[in-house]
Amino acid sequence: MKNFDIVIVGAGISGAVLAERYAAIGKKVLIIEKRDHIAGNCYDFVDENGILTSQYGAHLFHTNDGGVWEYVNRFSEWYPWQHRVIARVDGKTVPIPVNITTVNILFNKNFTKEAEMQQWLAENRIPFDEPRNGEEAVLNKVGEVLYEKMFRHYTKKQWDKYPAELHASVLDRIPVRENFDDRYFSDRYQALPKAGYTKLFEKMLSNPNIMVLLNTDYFEVEDQLGDYDKLFYTGPIDRFFNFRKKLKEKLEYRSINFVTEHLDQEYFQENSVVNYPGEEVEYTRIVEYKHFGNQQSAKTSIVKEYTVDHGEPYYPVPNDKNQEIYAKYKAEADKLTDVYFVGRLANYKYFNMDQAFRNALDLFLQLERRDTVRVANS
Ligand SMILES: Cc1cc2nc3c(=O)[nH]c(=O)nc-3n(C[C@H](O)[C@H](O)[C@H](O)COP(=O)(O)OP(=O)(O)OC[C@H]3O[C@@H](n4cnc5c(N)ncnc54)[C@H](O)[C@@H]3O)c2cc1C
């Protein structure tokens, strides 16, 4: 007997969107989630100091996709949040991405005009028509001095590889501003959910057609699931095939060790996120969550992030070797019928939240060729 029409592995963005969409057209949906909570890496909670905190690193929503923006507004109210990041470099505090202020502070300049910044970049950058790796990509954008101060060691801490060992694409997209714009993102919609991401997911999954099974690893229960029409898998693609002993090669991922400190003081730092691009400390950044939404508390909590090799898989490592291995898994995945690999781990690709929403929405549209309320890509 069929208990469910749709089985979804993972209650992150990808799983939740597909569950919400299928439930809306009357399908019975089972979500299997190995963690003890929904919301995937967007999960947040109120900590012992009363501060809304993200368990898996600060999550800033930003998009130019009007359809995704309309969709996420169905499940939460949002408040505008223009994210800003500062960095401690050579004992100085500078804005990130690099802009006129960054160069003025680090190199004792007094530029006031875009033309002066353009001139400085032109004098410093080392042009590459087609950068072959991350190092060439950064040199091509900002030149050697900024590369050394802000990118070389940070990349090593983040990826355990120097920029020269990574695809150009990883660093090719770093924004460099020729003006004073110190916003981290320049997308049209930049906001945070008023009550947090977990509440947004609760609403997405509130349809009675959806059942969520927490603390359950799909591979331990798959034999007991009986018949269903479609399986959506949002976990790591290599694990799916390793489990079936089809392929063994390991895909590399980077993980993060989040080290929390609760402090008996009102504030620790002047901004939500402070990056540490240099070698002097091992962590990449410190996040003080109470800055998001200007939360009030007599105490504060900070989280230091150390990027590490082992642990939960967060970031696919983009180099040729991993892409070759992924291609083999993808070829296996394409042979399967009614099994769909969705999201960042299953596609071995870094997705921002809006891209994860868009991919899952598009997959639903593609498979069902209908939608109760069409979510257009705009
Ligand atoms: C540290 C960090 C910071 C980020 N910051 C931002 C940001 O500021 N802005 C932004 O736009 N994006 C950000 N992102 C990206 C964002 O987290 C992703 O876009 C989003 O989480 C993708 O959703 P997903 O559903 O594909 O994957 P996930 O959220 O990873 O969900 C997959 C789920 O599947 C579950 N699962 C896996 N295997 C199994 C199994 N065998 N059985 C049962 N369950 C399983 C996992 O436990 C997980 O809950 C960040 C990501 C990280 C790692």
Side-chain angles (χ1 to χ4, degrees):
M1 203 190 83
K2 194 165 83 171
N3 294 321
F4 296 96
D5 303 302
I6 305 291
V7 172
I8 297 174
V9 182
I13 292 174
S14 312
V17 167
L18 286 156
E20 188 279 327
R21 293 288 73 206
Y22 273 103
I25 59 167
K27 302 286 183 190
K28 295 269 178 221
V29 180
L30 172 67
I31 303 188
I32 300 169
E33 170 55 61
K34 70 179 165 60
R35 291 172 171 166
D36 63 0
H37 59 75
I38 58 169
N41 285 341
C42 303
Y43 175 70
D44 52 20
F45 62 97
V46 176
D47 82 351
E48 63 180 60
N49 286 334
I51 299 162
L52 183 67
T53 301
S54 293
Q55 179 141 323
Y56 307 98
H59 272 69
L60 290 310
F61 188 85
H62 58 101
T63 190
N64 283 318
D65 187 329
V68 165
W69 178 237
E70 184 276 319
Y71 181 75
V72 297
N73 272 276
R74 295 180 198 177
F75 310 105
S76 177
E77 286 184 51
W78 295 72
Y79 63 90
W81 183 263
Q82 303 274 359
H83 189 49
R84 287 180 169 78
V85 175
I86 55 176
R88 310 274 193 233
V89 182
D90 294 346
K92 297 171 177 165
T93 298
V94 296
I96 279 188
V98 170
N99 67 8
I100 294 183
T101 312
T102 318
V103 169
N104 280 348
I105 293 175
L106 287 180
F107 305 107
N108 293 320
K109 302 286 180 196
N110 205 6
F111 298 154
T112 53
K113 297 189 188 74
E114 288 187 24
E116 291 169 305
M117 179 70 172
Q118 284 159 0
Q119 172 79 17
W120 188 89
L121 286 170
E123 284 164 11
N124 279 274
R125 61 185 286 266
I126 304 173
F128 288 93
D129 284 343
E130 279 185 29
R132 285 165 303 173
N133 56 48
E135 180 173 310
E136 292 183 358
V138 180
L139 293 175
N140 186 44
K141 288 207 161 207
V142 297
E144 194 132 23
V145 273
L146 274 177
Y147 170 74
E148 276 299 322
K149 284 185 193 299
M150 299 191 67
F151 296 97
R152 197 162 102 87
H153 302 294
Y154 189 81
T155 308
K156 172 74 172 151
K157 288 199 277 190
Q158 179 94 357
W159 297 101
D160 196 25
K161 287 180 173 39
Y162 284 107
E165 301 168 81
L166 288 167
H167 269 176
S169 62
V170 182
L171 290 134
D172 211 16
R173 279 171 296 179
I174 51 157
V176 175
R177 308 252 166 81
E178 293 170 354
N179 51 27
F180 286 97
D181 184 357
D182 64 349
R183 293 170 310 151
Y184 198 66
F185 307 111
S186 40
D187 300 45
R188 184 157 154 221
Y189 306 103
Q190 302 185 38
L192 291 173
K194 269 191 182 162
Y197 288 99
T198 306
K199 289 274 182 249
L200 178 150
F201 278 77
E202 279 171 10
K203 185 129 188 239
M204 284 179 81
L205 301 178
S206 61
N207 189 315
N209 286 338
I210 301 173
M211 182 176 152
V212 183
L213 206 56
L214 295 176
N215 299 305
T216 308
D217 189 324
Y218 161 72
F219 297 105
E220 283 164 18
V221 297
E222 67 168 346
D223 295 343
Q224 302 153 40
L225 294 174
D227 294 338
Y228 48 84
D229 295 337
K230 288 184 173 62
L231 174 74
F232 294 95
Y233 177 80
T234 75
I237 189 166
D238 47 342
R239 181 143 188 249
F240 189 92
F241 293 104
N242 299 159
F243 186 78
R244 286 167 180 73
K245 300 190 173 50
K246 280 249 180 198
L247 288 172
K248 284 203 182 71
E249 279 171 287
K250 193 98 196 73
L251 281 167
E252 268 180 290
Y253 298 90
R254 291 291 280 164
S255 189
I256 301 173
N257 189 11
F258 298 100
V259 178
T260 304
E261 292 172 30
H262 299 294
L263 306 174
D264 198 1
Q265 63 196 69
E266 198 179 356
Y267 285 100
F268 173 78
Q269 60 194 26
E270 68 272 43
N271 195 52
S272 57
V273 177
V274 179
N275 280 16
Y276 289 81
E279 285 178 295
E280 66 283 2
V281 292
E282 285 179 24
Y283 43 82
T284 53
R285 63 179 189 172
I286 299 180
V287 182
E288 187 173 26
Y289 281 93
K290 72 187 301 187
H291 290 280
F292 294 118
N294 302 316
Q295 301 179 64
Q296 300 302 309
S297 166
K299 298 181 181 182
T300 193
S301 313
I302 58 166
V303 182
K304 292 179 178 160
E305 297 186 4
Y306 299 80
T307 317
V308 290
D309 261 347
H310 299 289
E312 284 282 307
Y314 293 133
Y315 299 109
V317 181
N319 60 21
D320 290 336
K321 181 171 159 252
N322 287 319
Q323 284 311 317
E324 276 166 34
I325 299 174
Y326 170 69
K328 293 183 197 166
Y329 284 111
K330 170 90 172 67
E332 283 299 318
D334 288 344
K335 290 182 201 161
L336 299 173
T337 316
D338 292 328
V339 180
Y340 301 91
F341 291 79
V342 204
R344 106 209 131 85
L345 295 168
N347 286 285
Y348 196 64
K349 193 171 173 191
Y350 185 82
F351 284 144
N352 281 324
M353 287 184 277
D354 62 330
Q355 296 167 307
F357 276 105
R358 171 50 64 198
N359 272 277
L361 287 167
D362 283 352
L363 178 62
F364 175 78
L365 276 177
Q366 180 198 322
L367 292 174
E368 301 307 319
R369 302 206 175 282
R370 59 182 167 149
D371 194 354
T372 42
V373 185
R374 203 179 152 76
V375 181
N377 190 349
S378 55

